[in-house]
Amino acid sequence: MGFQVFVPFCPWKVLLLLVALKCSEATSDLNESTNATAQHEPNVRFAAASSEPDEKISVFALDYDYVQIPYEVTLWILLASLAKIGFHLYHRLPGLMPESCLLIIVGALVGAIIFGTDHKSPPVMDSNIYFLYLLPPIILEGGYFMPTRPFFENIGSILWWAGLGALINAFGIGLSLYLICQIKAFGLSDINLLQNLLFGSLISSVDPVAVLAVFEEARVNEPLYMMIFGEALLNDGISVVLYNILIAFTKMHKFEAIKPVDILAGCARFIIVGLGGVFFGIVFGFISAFITRFTQNISAIEPLIVFMFSYLSYLAAETLYLSGILAITACAVTMKKYVEENVSQTSYTTIKYFMKMLSSVSETLIFIFMGVSTVGKNHEWNWAFVCFTLAFCQIWRAISVFALFYVSNQFRTFPFSIKDQCIIFYSGVRGAGSFSLAFLLPLSLFPRKKMFVTATLVVIYFTVFIQGITIGPLVRYLGVKKTNKKESINEELHIRLMDHLKAGIEDVCGQWSHYQVRDKFKKFDHRYLRKILIRKNLPKSSIVSLYKKLEMKQAIEMVETGILNSTSFSIPHQAQRIQGTKRLSPEDVESMRDILTRNMYQVRQRTLSYNKYNLKPQTSEKQAKEILTRRYNTLRDSMRKGHSLPWGKPADTKNIRYLSFPYSNPQPTRRDLRAEELADNSSSDSDLSFIMFNANSQTRSLQERQLIQEIIPMKNLNRGGKPSNFGYPRSTSQEERVGRGRWAALRPKPLFHSVDEEYESGAESEEEASTIGSRWSAEHRRRRDHRSHSPLLQKK
Amino acid sequence: MGSHSSAAARIPDSDDIRRETGFSQASLVRLYHRFRSLDRNKKGYLSRADLQQIGALAVNPLGDRIIDSFFPDGSLQVDFPGFVRVLAHFRPVNDEDTRTRDPKEPEPLNSRMNKLRFAFQLYDQDRDGKISQQEMLQVLRLMVGVQVTEEQLESIADRTVQEADEDGDGAVSFLEFTKSLEKMNIEQKMSIRILK
């Protein structure tokens, strides 16, 4: 274990050496590299070449100036990536501390090196670069990966909390600091109210997403997760808006000239900026969704469209002084639903990964820059200011949390407990946002800027390290009761059973929501928006080839799972089949318990795991695949055993003809692919899912069941309104069984996909399925050529 | 609120149901909405197929059994009272409930005993009141990944039955089941917050 930790450090050493080497070489070559020289570099280069008419051509020459900025930026990013690799190699580490800790440490290291070698760091951060290039990817990523359903379910609380909380924090901290500044003893009296307010607004911008990864371990409940996520999302926007408004105020030099009218104007501006931004975002989102409808032949530009339109929404909003951040967030949220259905599989993957990459790069740069500024000479330390800032941050956050939640709890169906509120309070970790805003304070208006920067850095370091590292244990302490470690196997098994049971019943209950609004929106969405924004059905592929393809997949699958089932592990010698009451030794019990703990299926997590720094790993898909495969196998076996179905009713041909319902298939191929991607390998065993699962109902049950009743609903599950074409009438009993199997084979992954979607995006496959089912059955009613069965088919 | 009261009026026998299950009016209304949204064709009852539509249940290892528990005694349909009756087992337990309860009345559906009974019948598929080694094995098979061998599963099942079995009949009766779980906080494990 120890060795594993050391290994990642080796490449670091090499890299550090390299960096140091380069830096020292660079310093010997540099005169001053300032911003100006950076722009003049190309000229300088050629000028140098021409102004020194050397007789000989140097074989080796070094021109560091030319590449300095990109070179160093690249090195920084690489360094951070290597650090992240090392961070994740030791698998327990991400659960212990937020990844921001790591980035800050790396930044500090780089800063130390740069400081040590007396090198001037590249000007990565100025106002334009930050607001135009570094910030949008971060926000876009947050908006795109946001789980929309829980977000909108909790939207009231989130807006109330994030909006008001930010305001309360900003003004509270600002005012308190102003009062402190009035005290002559601290030497701060030259800081006026506005500057304090501005500082308050920038320091109150939290980045709690950083701690979400830490929450993962402890599995906090969904509303809590959403509150934190929502706060992170809206917080940036609000802080920046406040910041800009206050900067505008600060530019009006005469503070006495600020009348109440101006303040009212400021408030109105705040609202307009927010709403306007959202409006822009939605418009651009729809436009881009609409455009992706036509890109099936040039799928390579699909990611481009997504990114460009989001960025455009940001820029357009910024042009009008509206909130670009809220615009890009709204754009991402709007766009996501429709774009995901329109774009090709590879574009979808590309978009996801590229987004993560961009935001990762941005954040890394900001943090490293932060580290670089930490180690340097431009600090001004003022004990009073720093300490009071820290204290007030905590105090005001506590006040705002408890006060606001007290009020919102009155209106919530499921109020947040005190524990939840404590967790929310404690998760107020500052991050890159605050630092950027502090760094970008205009020096002309803020003569004591250095002190602000120092204070900000202290708060960030404190919250990220101390709060970030201790929040994990805190959550665990608050949430989980200490259980008796020596659990018997009984308890182990039963506990897991109950967890699954509880999860299942929760799914049956569904999640409460504001039905009317959501239903109305869904109806509107289906009736109008989807028609406009989503591609029409893809041209029907040949039925025969589709059949063949799926059959082959199924065959391969069956072979694979067959192999899987027969792999043998070494079993402990004594743990053979025991009849009677032979006592097992404790080691065997131990090993059994181990086997159980390691191999029992995890309970599905309702809480979506959002990780800021990488995409969700695919373990849940593997588990789902296994479960569904098992169901399929059980059903297959039970069907193999004879014509008569386990539930006692012989299948009759009439039923089979149901299978011959043609259903046009547009996208199972794409859905297949997508689910393949999800399933992590190209197997189609997710096909298996088909879920004959439903047909699989209780092989043990004694009642009769209509086969039809079982199979039809499976069709209902065909997601996204893509019934596939099937026109194979089967009338013989021989083909019956095969037909059933084939029909099963055609059961496309859609179900799997929809199931997975429920994991990933919180989409309600049930609701989707209902509309799809109705659409489907409407289509089929025309084609039905025999009466029967299931009342399911008779409606709509 | 207005919509709620009219919805409540539409629920047949809502008072009886409330008395039997202990749900609040608001919860009952919400459950009714859920029932209606699950009931695709507005039949007024739920069939297995309706419950199987719930995607997440499909990937729950115990999905089938959970669905079964809604259809006791081999019926094919479950109406709203039946639906609610099952869900009532998962209502969080209030301390006031236990204190003010009249001991002569039957236990509320969400008592510890009833919760345990509910869990028990997930194991005991043939309803003989005992969990045999076979039934334990079946449950194990459902809940464990494919890489565990059959022999390992069998020995684990053996061990499980052995640990709980006190009277030596090779099966776990309900009382033995209860006893093996006496240290566990069933009230918390089998309660769903939103069903208050």
Side-chain angles (χ1 to χ4, degrees):
Chain A
M1 192 52 112
F3 182 68
Q4 277 174 324
V5 177
F6 282 125
V7 164
F9 283 87
C10 293
W12 289 28
K13 287 184 187 154
V14 173
L15 198 65
L16 285 180
L17 233 61
L18 213 67
V19 171
L21 205 62
K22 279 279 167 231
C23 289
S24 51
E25 277 188 39
T27 45
S28 62
D29 278 349
L30 285 172
N31 308 334
E32 306 84 42
S33 59
T34 59
N35 210 350
T37 49
Q39 275 147 7
H40 293 153
E41 263 169 12
N43 306 334
V44 167
R45 195 181 199 215
F46 291 121
S50 58
S51 67
E52 299 179 14
D54 275 0
E55 281 85 27
K56 58 179 177 359
I57 299 179
S58 54
V59 180
F60 270 124
L62 185 72
D63 188 355
Y64 190 63
D65 288 348
Y66 182 55
V67 296
Q68 188 206 353
I69 291 181
Y71 191 80
E72 292 193 355
V73 169
T74 313
L75 265 183
W76 285 4
I77 298 176
L78 258 183
L79 190 65
S81 313
L82 284 172
K84 282 192 200 177
I85 295 178
F87 185 70
H88 283 282
L89 268 180
Y90 182 37
H91 61 94
R92 274 191 50 213
L93 211 48
L96 291 177
M97 61 154 120
E99 211 158 310
S100 339
C101 283
L102 180 76
L103 289 175
I104 295 182
I105 294 178
V106 170
L109 262 173
V110 172
I113 295 176
I114 291 187
F115 183 70
T117 58
D118 226 6
H119 179 64
K120 196 95 171 47
S121 65
V124 184
M125 191 95 123
D126 68 5
S127 186
N128 282 350
I129 296 185
Y130 176 70
F131 279 109
L132 288 180
Y133 300 115
L134 291 179
L135 186 59
I138 299 179
I139 310 288
L140 177 63
E141 185 255 352
Y144 193 80
F145 287 98
M146 180 180 80
T148 33
R149 193 182 49 86
F151 180 77
F152 284 110
E153 278 180 8
N154 288 303
I155 186 124
S157 306
I158 291 180
L159 278 179
W160 171 259
W161 158 237
L164 266 185
L167 285 174
I168 291 182
N169 272 314
F171 284 101
I173 298 178
L175 282 170
S176 331
L177 278 177
Y178 179 61
L179 291 175
I180 296 291
C181 288
Q182 297 305 95
I183 303 178
K184 299 273 190 280
F186 297 134
L188 296 166
S189 24
D190 56 336
I191 307 181
N192 56 33
L193 178 62
L194 263 178
Q195 294 182 338
N196 275 310
L197 283 179
L198 194 66
F199 182 67
S201 78
L202 69 87
I203 200 81
S204 67
S205 144
V206 291
D207 185 22
V209 167
V211 298
L212 278 180
V214 172
F215 281 1
E216 275 301 298
E217 293 273 311
R219 278 202 257 153
V220 294
N221 58 53
E222 188 178 80
L224 184 61
Y225 201 91
M226 275 327 298
M227 292 307 285
I228 298 197
F229 199 103
E231 185 192 0
L233 204 63
L234 299 179
N235 208 281
D236 276 331
I238 296 177
S239 300
V240 171
V241 168
L242 254 184
Y243 182 86
N244 285 327
I245 292 181
L246 288 171
I247 287 251
F249 271 140
T250 320
K251 290 204 172 109
M252 299 161 56
H253 285 286
K254 297 207 222 118
F255 315 111
E256 300 72 37
I258 298 180
K259 304 188 200 56
V261 175
D262 290 322
I263 297 186
L264 268 177
C267 292
R269 179 158 189 69
F270 188 74
I271 298 179
I272 291 188
V273 159
L275 290 177
V278 172
F279 174 71
F280 259 81
I282 295 182
V283 166
F284 273 91
F286 279 135
I287 296 179
S288 72
F290 184 66
I291 291 190
T292 53
R293 189 178 157 191
F294 302 107
T295 55
Q296 52 254 49
N297 297 322
I298 14 169
S299 51
I301 66 167
E302 279 163 351
L304 197 65
I305 291 187
V306 168
F307 286 111
M308 289 301 117
F309 268 101
S310 323
Y311 194 44
L312 209 59
S313 71
Y314 180 79
L315 295 175
E318 285 290 324
T319 318
L320 298 175
Y321 287 105
L322 301 172
S323 165
I325 293 181
L326 290 177
I328 205 172
T329 309
C331 182
V333 170
T334 320
M335 181 165 71
K336 177 178 179 187
K337 214 158 61 115
Y338 306 106
V339 160
E340 274 189 351
E341 299 211 18
N342 276 339
V343 298
S344 75
Q345 187 49 44
T346 39
S347 302
Y348 176 66
T349 315
T350 309
I351 293 176
K352 281 202 300 192
Y353 276 95
F354 200 64
M355 223 178 258
K356 283 283 178 193
M357 188 189 87
L358 278 180
S359 88
S360 213
V361 165
S362 285
E363 195 165 24
T364 305
L365 283 177
I366 296 178
F367 272 121
I368 292 203
F369 207 76
M370 189 169 94
V372 167
S373 337
T374 318
V375 186
K377 298 201 205 80
N378 31 350
H379 284 293
E380 185 193 325
W381 184 270
N382 182 309
W383 274 106
F385 193 73
V386 169
C387 294
F388 276 107
T389 305
L390 206 54
F392 284 133
C393 282
Q394 306 296 343
I395 296 176
W396 278 101
R397 185 167 174 89
I399 295 179
S400 61
V401 165
F402 291 112
L404 289 177
F405 276 99
Y406 178 73
V407 173
S408 81
N409 272 345
Q410 315 295 333
F411 299 103
R412 278 184 67 91
T413 337
F414 307 112
F416 284 108
S417 65
I418 296 289
K419 277 190 205 164
D420 290 339
Q421 291 173 29
C422 282
I423 293 180
I424 293 182
F425 154 65
Y426 205 67
S427 67
V429 170
R430 267 70 177 172
S434 314
F435 170 70
S436 320
L437 291 177
F439 192 76
L440 299 173
L441 285 172
L443 198 55
S444 50
L445 299 170
F446 289 86
R448 299 198 74 165
K449 169 178 162 176
K450 289 187 186 167
M451 189 179 67
F452 286 150
V453 172
T454 310
T456 312
L457 280 173
V458 168
V459 172
I460 294 180
Y461 272 77
F462 180 84
T463 53
V464 170
F465 283 96
I466 301 198
Q467 279 181 232
I469 295 183
T470 53
I471 195 167
L474 178 75
V475 170
R476 275 184 280 274
Y477 170 72
L478 283 181
V480 179
K481 286 208 181 75
K482 286 259 168 239
T483 52
N484 184 9
K485 184 57 187 137
K486 284 281 159 229
E487 281 167 6
S488 65
I489 292 189
N490 253 298
E491 280 188 6
E492 184 99 33
L493 181 64
H494 298 322
I495 288 176
R496 189 57 65 92
L497 177 119
M498 291 192 187
D499 285 337
H500 282 299
L501 175 60
K502 181 172 167 179
I505 297 281
E506 272 178 358
D507 291 325
V508 171
C509 290
Q511 277 289 72
W512 309 136
S513 64
H514 312 110
Y515 289 111
Q516 282 93 347
V517 175
R518 196 154 67 98
D519 280 345
K520 285 210 182 74
F521 177 71
K522 275 202 173 300
K523 284 206 183 72
F524 173 70
D525 183 38
H526 262 286
R527 211 176 289 159
Y528 303 112
L529 293 180
R530 289 178 77 91
K531 290 215 171 64
I532 303 175
L533 297 176
I534 301 211
R535 256 179 231 183
K536 297 256 190 321
N537 295 339
L538 295 178
K540 303 183 170 77
S541 48
S542 152
I543 309 245
V544 176
S545 60
L546 182 63
Y547 243 149
K548 287 212 176 105
K549 178 166 139 215
L550 288 170
E551 282 242 83
M552 270 221 308
K553 274 188 190 169
Q554 184 199 357
I556 293 176
E557 248 351 278
M558 278 162 50
V559 170
E560 275 186 33
T561 53
I563 292 178
L564 260 179
N565 281 335
S566 62
T567 43
S568 53
F569 278 56
S570 62
I571 45 178
H573 178 65
Q574 299 91 325
Q576 310 268 346
R577 176 93 207 231
I578 315 171
Q579 304 280 4
T581 56
K582 182 162 160 206
R583 289 273 135 206
L584 298 174
S585 66
E587 299 90 45
D588 299 322
V589 178
E590 228 3 86
S591 73
M592 280 186 191
R593 197 178 303 130
D594 265 345
I595 293 176
L596 273 188
T597 30
R598 265 185 292 120
N599 289 305
M600 280 206 284
Y601 288 128
Q602 297 296 324
V603 181
R604 71 107 185 91
Q605 277 176 282
R606 223 190 166 116
T607 320
L608 309 155
S609 57
Y610 169 77
N611 189 325
K612 194 171 192 185
Y613 301 99
N614 45 43
L615 287 165
K616 189 167 75 102
Q618 318 274 19
T619 47
S620 63
E621 280 104 10
K622 177 165 167 295
Q623 174 177 316
K625 204 164 60 165
E626 275 183 15
I627 296 176
L628 295 171
T629 308
R630 174 172 295 142
R631 275 202 163 113
Y632 171 71
N633 288 337
T634 320
L635 183 72
R636 188 167 41 96
D637 289 340
S638 63
M639 289 208 296
R640 283 252 170 82
K641 289 196 182 93
H643 271 269
S644 70
L645 304 168
W647 41 88
K649 179 167 156 59
D652 74 40
T653 49
K654 217 194 279 192
N655 289 347
I656 299 309
R657 224 176 295 149
Y658 244 117
L659 301 178
S660 66
F661 271 151
Y663 48 122
S664 65
N665 147 34
Q667 296 158 341
T669 23
R670 185 160 55 82
R671 291 268 164 219
D672 287 357
L673 293 173
R674 181 160 307 167
E676 273 182 19
E677 180 246 354
L678 294 169
D680 211 36
N681 47 28
S682 63
S683 60
S684 61
D685 39 4
S686 21
D687 272 338
L688 302 178
S689 45
F690 352 131
I691 337 19
M692 280 267 189
F693 66 93
N694 73 25
N696 172 27
S697 35
Q698 323 62 58
T699 49
R700 286 160 252 74
S701 90
L702 307 172
Q703 56 264 50
E704 296 203 329
R705 213 156 308 217
Q706 303 276 352
L707 169 60
I708 213 55
Q709 205 170 7
E710 308 313 295
I711 297 197
I712 292 306
M714 276 190 357
K715 290 192 177 192
N716 274 343
L717 290 157
N718 195 347
R719 193 164 184 275
K722 304 169 271 278
S724 31
N725 252 334
F726 220 175
Y728 269 64
R730 300 188 184 290
S731 39
T732 67
S733 57
Q734 197 59 334
E735 291 179 341
E736 216 177 83
R737 215 178 338 149
V738 177
R740 222 174 298 134
R742 289 193 177 195
W743 182 75
L746 271 194
R747 220 47 254 312
K749 299 182 174 174
L751 177 67
F752 186 65
H753 179 55
S754 72
V755 161
D756 206 72
E757 287 259 328
E758 191 149 53
Y759 286 154
E760 289 196 340
S761 65
E764 294 235 69
S765 52
E766 308 104 286
E767 262 95 9
E768 290 278 343
S770 71
T771 42
I772 288 154
S774 61
R775 239 194 290 162
W776 172 84
S777 37
E779 284 186 29
H780 287 273
R781 219 172 343 136
R782 297 176 230 120
R783 300 186 191 142
R784 219 165 13 141
D785 50 9
H786 50 94
R787 36 197 220 300
S788 123
H789 344 75
S790 144
L792 287 171
L793 271 209
Q794 262 136 24
K795 295 300 199 64
K796 307 238 170 116
Chain B
M1 243 12 219
S3 64
H4 277 190
S5 54
S6 63
R10 277 186 276 138
I11 303 175
D13 310 320
S14 64
D15 287 330
D16 294 330
I17 301 179
R18 279 182 54 203
R19 210 174 320 123
E20 187 190 346
T21 57
F23 278 121
S24 68
Q25 184 72 342
S27 293
L28 207 61
V29 170
R30 274 186 234 119
L31 283 172
Y32 189 64
H33 279 299
R34 177 65 175 168
F35 182 81
R36 295 280 300 271
S37 75
L38 283 175
D39 176 13
R40 302 221 168 274
N41 301 302
K42 304 290 176 266
K43 315 183 282 292
Y45 56 85
L46 293 180
S47 64
R48 274 210 165 68
D50 290 324
L51 287 176
Q52 281 156 352
Q53 302 269 7
I54 304 175
L57 267 187
V59 284
N60 190 319
L62 301 171
D64 293 328
R65 295 195 179 211
I66 295 177
I67 293 179
D68 269 345
S69 58
F70 278 92
F71 299 91
D73 316 322
S75 57
L76 282 180
Q77 312 165 350
V78 60
D79 57 0
F80 183 61
F83 181 69
V84 172
R85 218 169 281 132
V86 170
L87 293 179
H89 286 96
F90 289 87
R91 209 162 59 82
V93 178
N94 273 340
D95 287 327
E96 302 102 51
D97 280 350
T98 45
R99 261 183 276 124
T100 58
R101 204 170 63 77
D102 181 357
K104 285 197 284 292
E105 277 182 12
E107 267 180 48
L109 281 173
N110 64 340
S111 69
R112 185 190 167 91
M113 267 301 153
N114 279 323
K115 287 186 200 277
L116 280 172
R117 235 181 279 270
F118 191 82
F120 188 78
Q121 48 105 8
L122 277 189
Y123 286 94
D124 184 21
Q125 290 288 305
D126 54 11
R127 305 274 184 269
D128 61 356
K130 289 188 200 288
I131 307 176
S132 68
Q133 198 254 3
Q134 272 307 310
E135 287 170 338
M136 193 69 84
L137 185 58
Q138 278 164 1
V139 172
L140 259 180
R141 245 191 241 125
L142 282 180
M143 296 208 342
V144 171
V146 294
Q147 57 271 28
V148 182
T149 63
E150 194 61 24
E151 293 90 349
Q152 286 172 317
L153 281 179
E154 276 172 7
S155 47
I156 294 179
D158 279 334
R159 172 72 191 176
T160 315
V161 171
Q162 230 177 60
E163 270 183 7
D165 189 15
E166 288 175 352
D167 53 9
D169 59 355
V172 181
S173 71
F174 179 59
L175 287 173
E176 291 161 352
F177 181 72
T178 318
K179 190 131 181 292
S180 70
L181 290 176
E182 62 191 351
K183 276 190 262 145
M184 239 176 37
N185 186 354
I186 304 288
E187 290 86 343
Q188 199 217 25
K189 275 233 164 274
M190 283 189 49
S191 293
I192 297 181
R193 197 166 85 136
I194 58 179
L195 286 181
K196 232 169 359 152

